[in-house]
Amino acid sequence: MEEIMLLLKYLLLGIFQGITEPIPISSSGHVMILQELLGMRMEGLTFEIVVNFASLLAILIIYRESIAQLFFGATRYIMKRDESDKADFRFSLYLIIATIPAGLIGVLFGDWIGEMLDENIKIIGLTLLVTGVALFLIRNLRGRKNDAELTLKDALIIGLAQAVALIPGISRSGATIVAAMGLGMKQETALKFSFLLFIPVSVGSIMLAVSDIIKTPNLGELALPYTLAFLGSLVASYFSLKWFMNIMAKGNLIYFSIYCFIVGTLVILFL
């Protein structure tokens, strides 16, 4: 019975991470809150990498056509300098540039950030409130910039916003979308840039964590619970992102702001 309950907990954590990864309420913060409520403690980065990889696959599936267009368009521009492909090349280049801040800060200060937050879960409550404020401030913005109008400055600012989201409780998608919309981007462009930006960061995190995964004690025993968490995260991430795309199109970010205020307050008061 205990084994079944443990498997259900891992499945629940995977589904929970998958639901919260695409939407602007901080998946890492919510997974830490759920672990606290379930009385679980994940040592190392293996579990986080497994469920994030599942979310990555869901994003790749949904944005497969955009990814293919950017890849082939950028390649053609590099090879032939065809002006019709310049926008795809610039968009791809800006995605790479925007990845740099989070990559550098993650390598230099990632362990310190994790240790600091492990000591006090109430910090997640505070950072959820910060996320709620940011979402509230941009709730009514309707930008005009499309994919072809992005600039180097835009890429750097969004990259810095993603770096701030290394702190659990600060939503990665929320931070990048808030920055993008604050810079005048259309909802569709902000959403696309945000989730395509997740790809290189996620791939980089997986590559850096390979040694941690290999060194995980009892990895064989964790194969089944991790598989359940992976599948739960994959399915949940796919449908959550599809749902969030519709929410963005309707401009209903205020609901996520209210949610962050409520959960952040509850965490501070009761956990």
Side-chain angles (χ1 to χ4, degrees):
M1 188 65 182
E2 289 183 6
E3 292 182 0
I4 294 176
M5 288 301 298
L6 182 63
L7 291 177
L8 289 175
K9 286 181 179 180
Y10 272 94
L11 178 60
L12 179 60
L13 281 170
I15 293 173
F16 203 60
Q17 189 276 340
I19 292 173
T20 56
E21 178 61 53
I23 59 180
I25 60 173
S26 177
S27 62
S28 58
H30 276 72
V31 168
M32 290 180 71
I33 293 170
L34 186 57
Q35 287 182 35
E36 186 81 9
L37 294 174
L38 294 175
M40 299 177 69
R41 191 72 172 177
M42 302 296 184
E43 299 295 338
L45 297 173
T46 305
F47 178 79
E48 182 180 346
I49 294 300
V50 167
V51 292
N52 280 342
F53 180 57
S55 294
L56 171 64
L57 288 181
I59 291 170
L60 289 173
I61 292 170
I62 291 175
Y63 280 101
R64 62 189 182 279
E65 294 181 1
S66 295
I67 294 169
Q69 177 185 328
L70 289 172
F71 176 78
F72 290 113
T75 302
R76 283 194 301 268
Y77 181 78
I78 293 171
M79 300 296 292
K80 301 178 180 179
R81 286 296 191 273
D82 189 334
E83 287 298 313
S84 63
D85 296 313
K86 189 174 182 178
D88 289 333
F89 171 76
R90 285 164 58 90
F91 196 96
S92 302
L93 178 62
Y94 291 154
L95 283 172
I96 295 172
I97 291 171
T99 302
I100 295 173
L104 287 176
I105 294 176
V107 170
L108 295 174
F109 303 107
D111 292 340
W112 176 78
I113 292 172
E115 291 172 1
M116 177 186 69
L117 291 168
D118 282 344
E119 296 175 358
N120 191 352
I121 197 169
K122 292 188 184 297
I123 294 177
I124 294 176
L126 293 173
T127 51
L128 280 172
L129 294 180
V130 172
T131 295
V133 170
L135 291 170
F136 182 81
L137 292 175
I138 59 98
R139 67 194 184 283
N140 294 323
L141 292 183
R142 299 291 184 274
R144 296 184 177 181
K145 284 185 181 178
N146 57 33
D147 294 7
E149 296 174 315
L150 302 187
T151 66
L152 175 60
K153 178 183 176 182
D154 295 337
L156 288 172
I157 292 175
I158 296 172
L160 289 171
Q162 179 168 252
V164 173
L166 290 171
I167 303 173
I170 301 293
S171 166
R172 191 211 65 85
S173 62
T176 51
I177 288 172
V178 165
M181 293 183 65
L183 291 166
M185 294 185 192
K186 292 180 178 179
Q187 290 96 323
E188 181 181 353
T189 298
L191 193 65
K192 178 180 176 181
F193 196 89
S194 172
F195 284 105
L196 293 184
L197 186 57
F198 175 77
I199 296 172
V201 170
S202 181
V203 170
S205 298
I206 293 170
M207 293 177 65
L208 289 173
V210 168
S211 61
D212 289 333
I213 295 174
I214 294 174
K215 295 176 183 177
T216 300
N218 303 322
L219 187 58
E221 298 176 9
L222 292 171
L224 180 56
Y226 276 13
T227 298
L228 288 175
F230 174 87
L231 294 174
S233 178
L234 175 63
V235 175
S237 294
Y238 179 87
F239 288 104
S240 180
L241 178 51
K242 283 286 191 180
W243 173 67
F244 184 50
M245 292 169 78
N246 290 329
I247 293 292
M248 280 289 289
K250 297 175 182 178
N252 292 332
L253 289 175
I254 183 65
Y255 299 121
F256 296 109
S257 175
I258 295 171
Y259 174 86
C260 287
F261 287 140
I262 293 172
V263 175
T265 301
L266 291 175
V267 169
I268 293 170
L269 293 177
F270 299 110
L271 290 182

